[in-house]
Structures are given as C-alpha cells and as structure tokens.
C-alpha cells in the first residue's frame, strides 16, 4: 500500500531529520532550501557508513542481475551529480573531490572474465555505456596492473567522490541554509511527531525524516513502519603513496579475484582507498586480521604495487541494508513520518537522487517518478 500525505507547498513547517549521514544531510539541506524550519539530530559518537565509504559513483560496475531497477535509479542519480556538485560546492565553499576519470573493472582469471562478460551484456541491455577490453588494453590504461589480468570492462561515465568531504560540504551548506543541528541521540518519535532525545529533551515537528542508517530500528515509533534495516559490515584501508611516487592507479580500479570483489579508489591528494569486505555479522564493528588480509590479498593479486603503500587508517563501517537491498524513501503510513534509509552499498551514489526525492516528499507528500519504486511503504518490504 502506497501512502500520500500532502503537505504545505509554502515550506513553512517544522522538519526534524534524525541522522547525520549523507541521506540525512542532503535531506536537511534540500528541505531548508525550500523554506522548512529544519533541525538535524546527530549524536557526537555517530558512526555513519558515509564516513567510511570509498565514494565510488559506479552504476555501471555495481550492476547486479535482479537489481536492474536499482541500477536505473543509480544511473539517474549519477546523471545529477555534476550539477549537484557544482551547486553544493558553490553553497558551501567546500570541494568534494569529484573525479570523472572513469572506472576500470578487471578480471583476474578466466572464470572472473566470464562473469565480467555477463555483466557487460547486462550493462548493454540497460543502456549503460561500457567497453570490453583485453588484458593488454587494460594494462595500457593502468600499467601497474598484474600481467596476469585477463581482461576488463571500462566504464568511462563512472566517477568518484570523497564522502568525508561530501558530508562536510552538506553540513556547511545546510548550516548556511538555516539547518539547526542538535548533538544528541533520538530515541522515540511519538504519535504527535515529537522526537524524544536521549538527553531528555523533545523536539516538536510537523514532519520527521528517519535517516539513521542501520540504527533506524533503534528509534521507537508510533507503529512498526520501518522494515528491519540490517547492518552489513565492511572493512577497508586508507593508504597513501610514498612521497614522489608515480600514481599507482589513475582511475578507480575494481577487480574480481577468484570471485571476490576488490577495489582501489584514488584521490587527488594521493590517498588510495582499498576495500572492502561484505560481512553479515550484525552490529559487530571489530577490525579483523582475516578481513584486512582478504582485502590486501586480493588487491595485491590485482595491483602488486599495493604492498608499497603506506597504511594511514583502517576502517570498519556498517552499511544499512533493507530486506530487498533497495532504499526506503518518503512517506510511511504514519502521517508526517518519512524514511530515507536502507541504501546499502549505494548511499554515496544515490545522494543527489535521495535529496531530490525527499524534497518532493516533504513538500508534496509524493515521490518523483524515478524514486517511486523505492517507496518506504512498498508491500514487498
């Protein structure tokens, strides 16, 4: 059952956004731009997946059989990114590290190459522009690839961004647009849309947006309108090239190594993010030898020079996965209560489209057509 609760078109209501990750901050900024009185609630010890994410904007190389509508939504969001970044950087004065050098997906062995061949066919059916390459052509683009690489797929339209800078830019732009931030933890949303905080205060609202990632289930609601948003653990490393070194990779390189995915995402400042595991281990945020070994083992098979990188940070994040691994956006069956959660692996990619969807949900009570499949109250969740 899909709900629609029309709201004011003047944007003069009180909106409380629970959660300070990318989904929450882009929603808060877009709502403030439309004249809403916006308060964002985020605890000081928040551990949003956005701060750990690598920042790949890769609808082409993220394509998975059975997730075609989600990939189409990703393509839509990727198409918004250039204008979104320009607007955000102008509003905040904070560069977000948007790189448009494309993504190269590489196969380590013949079985991996067969998987990439099937993926390429899917991309072609979805109208996503990609190009099949031989191993030699891959090494011509990325000379530091292992000589054993069998071949690959080049997605020139896949980009990347620095999620930490993106978060900072959204925070600054939000503050300049009038977003008020409260450093506390939301514990309950009441029948009359008051957001009760752990510190004892309560915030009155006309509309509430729950965007707390995999911690959304910890907020008590008037009725159970949030499907279980499970945490999916990811371990990765942040590394840096030795001073004076030539670039290890020139673009995002994603690989399949004996069936296991691995990626290297370069930044303009010399940082390279290497990741990541995908583990169904509940709220476990422990950093493990096995997890890091898996990432480094596969990265070394793909790009042997990774062993020369300096490790600057090890990270663990919990991606918020919905029951069907698709985002939960917009109005719920509780009037005035919205969701912006469950983005799983796609939170960074879907940031512009999430802001677009939530702005319309708050002003009109409906979702724009590209986002309607991902309605928060869809029956299949």
């Amino acid at each position: 059952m899909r709900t629609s609760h029309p709201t004011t078109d003047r944007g003069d209501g009180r909106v409380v956004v629970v959660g300070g990750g990318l989904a929450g901050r882009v929603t808060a900024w877009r709502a403030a731009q439309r004249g809403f009185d916006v308060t964002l609630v985020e605890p000081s010890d928040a551990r949003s997946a956005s701060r750990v994410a690598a920042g790949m904007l890769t609808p082409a190389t993220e394509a998975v059989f059975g997730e075609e509508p989600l990939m189409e939504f990703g393509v839509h969001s990727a198409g918004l990114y250039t204008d979104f970044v320009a607007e955000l950087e102008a509003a905040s004065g904070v560069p977000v590290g948007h790189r448009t050098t494309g993504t190269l997906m590489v196969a380590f062995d013949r079985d991996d190459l067969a998987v990439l061949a099937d993926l390429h066919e899917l991309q072609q059916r979805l109208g996503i522009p990609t190009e099949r390459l031989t191993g030699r052509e891959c090494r011509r683009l990325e000379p530091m690839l292992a000589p054993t690489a069998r071949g690959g797929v080049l997605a020139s339209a896949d980009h990347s961004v620095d999620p930490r800078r993106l978060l900072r830019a959204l925070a600054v732009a939000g503050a300049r647009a009038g977003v008020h931030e409260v450093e506390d933890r939301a514990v309950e949303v009441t029948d009359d849309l008051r957001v009760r905080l752990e510190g004892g205060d309560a915030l009155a609202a006309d509309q509430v947006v729950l965007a707390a990632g995999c911690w959304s289930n910890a907020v008590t609601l008037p009725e159970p309108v949030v499907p279980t948003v499970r945490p999916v653990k990811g371990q990765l490393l942040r590394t840096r090239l030795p001073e004076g070194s030539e670039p290890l990779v020139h673009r995002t390189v994603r690989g399949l190594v004996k069936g296991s995915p691995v990626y290297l995402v370069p930044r303009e400042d010399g940082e390279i993010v290497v990741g990541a595991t995908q583990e169904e281990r509940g709220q476990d945020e422990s950093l493990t030898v096995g997890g890091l070994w898996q990432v480094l083992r596969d990265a070394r098979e793909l790009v042997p020079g990774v062993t020369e990188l300096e490790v600057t940070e090890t990270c663990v994040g919990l991606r918020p996965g919905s029951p069907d691994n698709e985002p939960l956006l917009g109005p719920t069956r509780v009037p005035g209560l919205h969701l912006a959660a469950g983005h799983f692996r796609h939170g960074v990619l879907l940031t512009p489209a999430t802001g677009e969807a939530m702005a319309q949900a708050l002003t009109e009570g409906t979702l724009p057509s590209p986002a309607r499949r991902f309605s928060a109250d869809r029956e299949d969740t």
Side-chain angles (χ1 to χ4, degrees):
M1 175 182 177
R2 300 185 184 276
T3 53
S4 174
H5 304 297
T7 62
T8 175
D9 60 3
R10 299 189 307 275
D12 57 358
R14 299 164 298 176
V15 173
V16 174
V17 178
V18 176
L22 289 174
R25 291 198 178 277
V26 73
T27 297
W29 178 45
R30 290 307 197 194
Q33 285 181 314
R34 284 153 179 76
F36 287 99
D37 177 4
V38 182
T39 299
L40 184 142
V41 179
E42 174 83 330
S44 59
D45 61 349
R47 303 181 302 279
S48 76
S50 307
R51 299 181 185 279
V52 179
M56 296 178 288
L57 311 178
T58 54
T61 52
E62 281 280 1
V64 175
F65 288 97
E67 295 185 355
E68 288 86 346
L70 180 58
M71 292 308 99
E72 290 171 357
F73 190 44
V75 169
H76 168 71
S77 192
L80 301 175
Y81 240 102
T82 298
D83 289 344
F84 173 76
V85 165
E87 181 186 2
L88 179 59
E89 289 183 340
S92 66
V94 177
V96 301
H98 186 213
R99 288 171 55 92
T100 60
T101 48
T103 295
L104 179 65
M105 196 164 189
V106 181
F108 175 74
D109 62 22
R110 289 181 180 176
D111 290 340
D112 297 326
L113 188 59
V115 173
L116 287 195
D118 289 341
L119 176 61
H120 180 66
E121 290 181 7
L122 173 62
Q123 293 161 347
Q124 298 305 296
R125 288 204 307 271
L126 294 176
I128 299 173
T130 56
E131 179 185 358
R132 283 286 301 275
L133 301 177
T134 65
R136 180 174 296 178
E137 289 170 330
C138 289
R139 286 186 290 276
R140 190 175 297 129
L141 291 176
E142 295 293 346
M144 299 302 289
L145 284 175
T148 51
R150 295 285 183 169
V153 174
L154 177 64
S156 299
D158 277 8
H159 299 166
S160 67
V161 73
D162 186 334
R164 294 182 177 180
R165 292 186 181 184
L166 187 61
L167 274 170
R168 186 161 63 251
L170 285 168
V172 172
R176 290 180 176 179
V179 175
H180 173 63
E181 192 159 338
V182 173
E183 195 174 278
D184 207 334
R185 191 181 310 278
V187 295
E188 181 184 9
V189 179
T190 64
D191 290 324
D192 58 352
L193 295 184
R194 294 177 68 83
V195 179
R196 299 193 183 279
L197 307 179
E198 192 173 60
D201 292 335
L203 305 174
D206 298 301
Q207 298 187 81
V208 174
V209 178
L210 184 55
C214 64
W215 290 275
S216 296
N217 301 106
V219 180
T220 301
L221 302 175
E223 57 178 292
V225 297
V226 182
T228 299
V229 180
R230 74 191 192 284
V232 182
K233 179 179 176 181
Q235 301 185 57
L236 55 84
L237 302 97
R238 293 180 182 273
T239 67
R240 186 165 294 280
L241 289 164
E243 189 172 347
S245 299
E246 292 296 317
L248 185 66
V249 291
H250 298 83
R251 57 183 56 74
T252 296
V253 173
R254 305 188 65 165
L256 277 179
V257 179
K258 299 178 181 178
S260 295
V262 66
Y263 58 71
L264 293 87
V265 183
R267 310 273 194 237
E268 294 290 352
D269 63 0
E271 180 180 69
I272 301 176
V273 182
V274 185
T277 64
Q278 187 167 304
E279 308 167 59
E280 301 274 356
R281 296 187 178 275
Q283 297 283 350
D284 174 26
E285 295 181 83
S286 59
L287 192 72
T288 67
V289 171
L292 295 182
W293 174 78
Q294 173 190 325
V295 170
L296 288 171
R297 176 200 65 196
D298 293 341
R300 182 178 179 275
E301 292 279 22
L302 196 68
V303 184
V306 76
T307 57
E308 303 300 319
L309 296 174
E310 173 192 353
V311 177
T312 58
E313 186 179 352
T314 53
C315 306
V316 178
L318 299 179
R319 310 173 185 92
S322 70
D324 59 10
N325 290 335
E326 295 183 351
L328 301 160
L329 301 174
T332 69
R333 61 177 173 269
V334 174
L337 177 62
H338 303 261
L339 300 185
H343 289 72
F344 193 29
R345 303 187 311 267
H346 312 289
V348 183
L349 170 62
L350 296 179
T351 295
T354 296
E356 175 186 68
M358 297 310 298
Q360 181 168 318
L362 289 167
T363 55
E364 301 177 21
T366 61
L367 291 171
S369 57
R372 284 174 192 160
R373 173 188 169 91
F374 311 106
S375 170
D377 69 335
R378 61 185 182 269
E379 292 180 1
D380 56 353
T381 56

